[in-house]
Each structure stands twice: as structure tokens, then as C-alpha cells.
Amino acid sequence: MKIFFALVSLGLLFSVLTGLYMSYRYSRKPRLVSAVLAAGILVPLLLLLL
């Protein structure tokens, strides 16, 4: 079971990294991509503090 979840987590990590690569590579506005990524990290962290 541990091996299964390790493989699932590696698949999710690969999928996320591929999505980030594609969003920067094929976007005309990399600043917008960076802003959305930063907001996706900061907003949940700020909600945790409330």
C-alpha cells in the first residue's frame, strides 16, 4: 500500500510540474502565471492563519 501511494504521489508531482512547465512555456504573460501561482500558495496559507 505504501508503494502504491508513493507512485500516486510521484504521478501527481509529475503532473503538477508538467502543468507549470506548460503554463510558462506557452503563455504570453508569464507574470500573470507567476501571480496566480503565488496567490494559489499565499491564499491558503493566510486562511490557515485565521
Side-chain angles (χ1 to χ4, degrees):
M1 198 65 158
K2 288 181 183 181
I3 295 172
F4 171 72
F5 282 110
L7 290 174
V8 169
S9 66
L10 287 175
L12 179 62
L13 178 65
F14 180 73
S15 176
V16 168
L17 291 177
T18 303
L20 286 173
Y21 169 76
M22 288 173 54
S23 66
Y24 278 107
R25 176 91 169 119
Y26 300 112
S27 175
R28 295 180 186 206
K29 299 179 182 179
R31 284 187 179 179
L32 178 62
V33 174
S34 297
V36 171
L37 179 63
I41 293 169
L42 291 176
V43 170
L45 290 176
L46 290 173
L47 289 174
L48 278 174
L49 295 174
L50 292 178

